Amino acid sequence: MTHPAPRSFTEALAEGPLVLDGGLATQLEASGRDLTSSVWSAQVLADDPEAVVDAHRAFFAAGAQVATTASYQVSSRGFASVGQDSLHISRLLRRSVRLARRAADEVDGETWVAASVGPYGAALGDGSEYRGDYGLSVAQLRRWHRFGIQVLADVGPDVLALETVPCLAEAEALLEEVRGLSRPSWLSMTCVGDRTRAGEPVAEAFAMAADVPEVVAVGVNCLDPADTPALVALATELSGKPAVVYPNAGEQWDAVARRWTGDQADVGTYVGTWLDAGAGLVGGCCRVTPADIGEIARAVGRRTAAPTPV
């Protein structure tokens, strides 16, 4: 029996929607791994790679179609604090993609791997990704991101996830660094209301992505789910591309106490509004569990299986 060739990520997205995974660090912590290191889940990637594969498996088993790699906090600045050099960092970046691919290849169905490119603030370990107050120029941010993006792109993920971007300067830097690459990318901002974490109009970031052909989806992640419906609609309108949306569970990160505070939301209840507003990639971020992703996957399945009215 012959089987059709698997679709590329871009082809699948065009026929979407696709279900992303949830909080990888959340799942690692739930499985008993220690995330108190300054480099968080990246330390588990270095010390216990099988735990990372197991976390990916849990999300796939729940209904995710896309695994996001454990590379979010793998950077020269972050690992310099624990005495590691650029060769070690390159190995970890490549490992993150290969581990996600291992888990994806075990699934009976189409799956894809998104290589996580986290913001500069993630390497600082002080909550800067929720403020965006770096004081760095676009050129400086481009130089800082270049190494990681090139290593990840070369190892062969299906898409680069430029995620949790808190300010316009970093959005511009990332967009310029992926322009001309052979890999598709998505750009995902983190916001409060309709502003970036740095207080700028997020509409400007969405519009910036419109003329970057490598960017196949634009949207938001790691934010209050209540802010997502309007932002998804805005992202599709200004970028002309499908939206990507994967909020956290509605809590707030306390960088001093290093813990989440506040009440959790039911992320799955927002799926219908996301799809109505043009979302092509839906999932969750911090504190979103495999059970939550299962709810999201079922909501997507119900929506896409609904008969067309006559």
Side-chain angles (χ1 to χ4, degrees), residues 217-293:
V218 178
V220 290
N221 78 290
C222 210
L223 74 167
D224 191 324
D227 287 339
T228 56
L231 289 168
V232 169
L234 188 63
T236 55
E237 175 190 352
L238 295 177
S239 71
K241 304 171 192 279
V244 55
V245 53
Y246 49 117
N248 58 37
E251 298 160 293
Q252 293 79 45
W253 176 247
D254 183 333
V256 176
R258 290 171 66 87
R259 64 186 180 89
W260 291 92
T261 63
D263 297 327
Q264 288 195 336
D266 184 352
V267 177
T269 61
Y270 292 88
V271 174
T273 63
W274 297 341
L275 299 180
D276 288 343
L281 299 169
V282 298
C285 199
C286 301
R287 308 283 281 177
V288 175
T289 67
D292 297 320
I293 293 302

Side-chain angles (χ1 to χ4, degrees), residues 23-35 55 58-59 287 289-290:
L24 186 64
T26 300
Q27 179 60 17
L28 289 170
E29 196 167 36
S31 69
R33 270 57 187 191
D34 181 6
L35 269 65
F59 284 113
R287 308 283 281 177
T289 67

Side-chain angles (χ1 to χ4, degrees), residues 10-104:
T10 304
E11 290 168 339
L13 175 60
E15 300 173 20
L18 302 178
V19 179
L20 307 178
D21 55 9
L24 186 64
T26 300
Q27 179 60 17
L28 289 170
E29 196 167 36
S31 69
R33 270 57 187 191
D34 181 6
L35 269 65
T36 58
S37 161
S38 61
V39 291
W40 300 89
S41 56
Q43 193 66 58
V44 182
L45 174 67
D47 297 341
D48 192 357
E50 289 305 311
V52 175
V53 179
D54 286 342
H56 289 313
R57 286 178 180 135
F59 284 113
F60 279 132
Q65 296 165 285
V66 181
T68 307
T69 64
S71 51
Y72 179 81
Q73 285 179 301
V74 179
S75 68
S76 55
R77 180 168 186 132
F79 272 87
S81 66
V82 290
Q84 298 294 347
D85 60 14
S86 59
L87 179 60
H88 182 75
I89 293 155
S90 177
R91 287 172 177 161
L92 287 182
L93 290 171
R94 293 174 184 277
R95 176 185 291 178
S96 73
V97 176
R98 290 170 181 149
L99 295 179
R101 184 71 70 193
R102 259 183 60 196

Side-chain angles (χ1 to χ4, degrees), residues 98-235:
R98 290 170 181 149
L99 295 179
R101 184 71 70 193
R102 259 183 60 196
D105 286 347
E106 296 172 0
V107 177
D108 184 16
E110 288 185 299
T111 54
W112 296 271
V113 171
S116 172
V117 179
Y120 176 80
L124 303 181
D126 62 357
S128 294
E129 66 263 56
Y130 298 112
R131 301 192 306 269
D133 54 351
Y134 309 151
L136 298 181
S137 68
V138 171
Q140 288 172 314
L141 287 165
R142 286 188 66 176
R143 285 194 296 273
W144 188 82
H145 276 292
R146 188 165 298 148
F147 174 78
I149 287 175
Q150 289 176 345
V151 171
L152 287 170
D154 286 348
V155 77
D158 297 296
V159 61
L160 294 172
L162 315 177
E163 58 179 355
T164 326
V165 182
C167 59
L168 295 179
E170 191 156 28
E172 183 178 349
L174 288 164
L175 290 171
E176 289 308 311
E177 283 303 304
V178 300
R179 191 187 293 272
L181 283 183
S182 60
R183 298 284 167 190
S185 304
W186 78 59
L187 175 70
S188 183
M189 307 296 294
T190 180
C191 309
V192 177
D194 62 357
R195 317 292 287 187
T196 70
R197 296 286 183 166
E200 311 142 319
V202 72
E204 294 185 24
F206 297 155
M208 271 194 275
D211 68 345
V212 182
E214 290 76 15
V215 174
V216 296
V218 178
V220 290
N221 78 290
C222 210
L223 74 167
D224 191 324
D227 287 339
T228 56
L231 289 168
V232 169
L234 188 63

